[in-house]
Amino acid sequence: MFPQLDLRLETVAKQIQADCHADVGSDHGNLLVALLKNGQIQSAIAVENKRQPFENSQKALIGLDGEARFADGLKGLEVGEADSLSICGMGGGSIVAILQADPDRIPPKVVLQPNRDQVLVRRWAMKNGFHLVEEQIAWGHWPYTVLTFRSALGIDPAYGEEDLEAALMFGPLNIRRSDPSFIEYLSKERRYLRTLNRLSDSTRRRLELIEAVLCKRSPDATRHSRSDPGFIT
Ligand SMILES: C[S@@+](CC[C@H](N)C(=O)[O-])C[C@H]1O[C@@H](n2cnc3c(N)ncnc32)[C@H](O)[C@@H]1O
């Protein structure tokens, strides 16, 4: 379905269906090309703030209903111009900085793929009227988180039942679903963190939250692994 996309961008692409879609930090332009060729979007806006990636996007969109713009983040869009937006392959801090710089230009649907610090992206959404409607982990070279938000009023119901701190760190939908690959990922990280002699306060807290999530999902496995560090959960 997406021959030119890796699993990470394929996971992002599956979340997008729009009339006009904008991709900020489009670089190679592969995401927009795949969406246009697949008929998932009618028109595309690629935004880049660096010359070579901008030229890459321009070239990729030749012959398609897409336009590359040389601009800083959402300044490349008019208010209300795009129906949806993606920002992928950057740290959570950079993604949030782009969103916060021009809040009026954020379309009602947003797909974000932070390479790290997903908690910053989740917090931004909570505080700025975007509800989490889907979250996935693309098990590529690294576990890449893909978060889909929609503009909405009120408290985000996605965070209702889970411990907020754990949900912001690992995702309320991931925790609720507790897919085997997600549980294995947390179990592996727990095993690794338990081998460390010294933990920073934030890493110790992360380990505590991992323990809490695993314990809730599989209390027996957690009890055994505490008494036997070699136990594979
Ligand atoms: C690591 S690449 C990711 C490319 C692509 N989105 C992907 O996921 O494969 C990040 C791209 O974002 C661009 N970028 C970073 N900050 C930007 C900003 N404020 N406005 C527009 N583009 C930006 C960079 O120039 C770079 O091409």
Side-chain angles (χ1 to χ4, degrees):
M1 196 174 170
F2 298 102
Q4 63 277 66
L5 299 184
D6 60 13
L7 182 64
R8 174 181 65 88
L9 286 179
E10 184 180 324
T11 307
V12 171
K14 284 181 178 163
Q15 293 300 310
I16 299 167
Q17 185 85 52
D19 191 5
C20 176
H21 180 80
D23 188 39
V24 168
S26 49
D27 194 359
H28 38 72
N30 290 346
L31 177 65
L32 293 176
V33 169
L35 291 168
L36 286 164
K37 287 191 172 167
N38 242 6
Q40 287 171 243
I41 60 173
Q42 303 314 307
S43 63
I45 302 168
V47 182
E48 258 299 337
N49 70 348
K50 289 177 197 73
R51 189 54 63 180
Q52 188 59 54
F54 164 70
E55 286 171 9
N56 295 344
S57 297
Q58 234 181 359
K59 205 169 153 196
L61 290 168
I62 288 173
L64 296 168
D65 196 352
E67 184 192 338
R69 298 178 184 172
F70 190 69
D72 179 11
L74 295 168
K75 290 176 183 61
L77 300 180
E78 300 297 328
V79 174
E81 190 181 19
D83 304 298
S84 66
L85 165 75
S86 48
I87 310 179
C88 307
M90 302 182 204
S94 302
I95 290 176
V96 168
I98 289 170
L99 295 165
Q100 281 179 332
D102 297 278
D104 298 348
R105 294 170 202 241
I106 304 173
K109 182 173 174 187
V110 184
V111 184
L112 304 172
Q113 183 268 300
N115 282 350
R116 58 186 170 279
D117 297 330
Q118 57 170 291
V119 65
L120 300 180
V121 175
R122 292 178 187 283
R123 279 211 194 103
W124 165 83
M126 270 195 133
K127 287 185 187 156
N128 290 278
F130 281 84
H131 289 188
L132 182 71
V133 291
E134 188 48 278
E135 69 185 355
Q136 274 127 357
I137 301 172
W139 302 101
H141 172 68
W142 196 253
Y144 297 102
T145 298
V146 176
L147 304 168
T148 304
F149 299 99
R150 258 191 195 286
S151 168
L153 296 172
I155 294 170
D156 187 344
Y159 289 90
E161 295 157 28
E162 306 298 336
D163 171 81
L164 184 59
E165 197 183 353
L168 286 169
M169 195 169 284
F170 303 113
L173 308 183
N174 290 329
I175 294 173
R176 224 167 287 150
R177 287 179 191 139
S178 282
D179 289 342
S181 40
F182 175 67
I183 293 297
E184 175 56 21
Y185 165 64
L186 290 187
S187 302
K188 247 183 175 170
E189 186 170 343
R190 177 178 64 182
R191 279 200 295 278
Y192 168 69
L193 293 179
R194 281 176 172 177
T195 65
L196 303 180
N197 291 328
R198 279 167 182 248
L199 297 178
S200 66
D201 287 350
S202 61
T203 308
R204 186 174 309 107
R205 186 67 191 136
R206 186 173 168 93
L207 177 57
E208 284 167 7
L209 293 172
I210 291 174
E211 304 261 10
V213 171
L214 290 175
C215 181
K216 206 168 158 195
R217 300 298 140 186
S218 175
D220 285 350
T222 303
R223 197 174 57 245
H224 288 139
S225 64
R226 277 211 181 103
S227 57
D228 172 6
F231 187 87
I232 296 170
T233 57

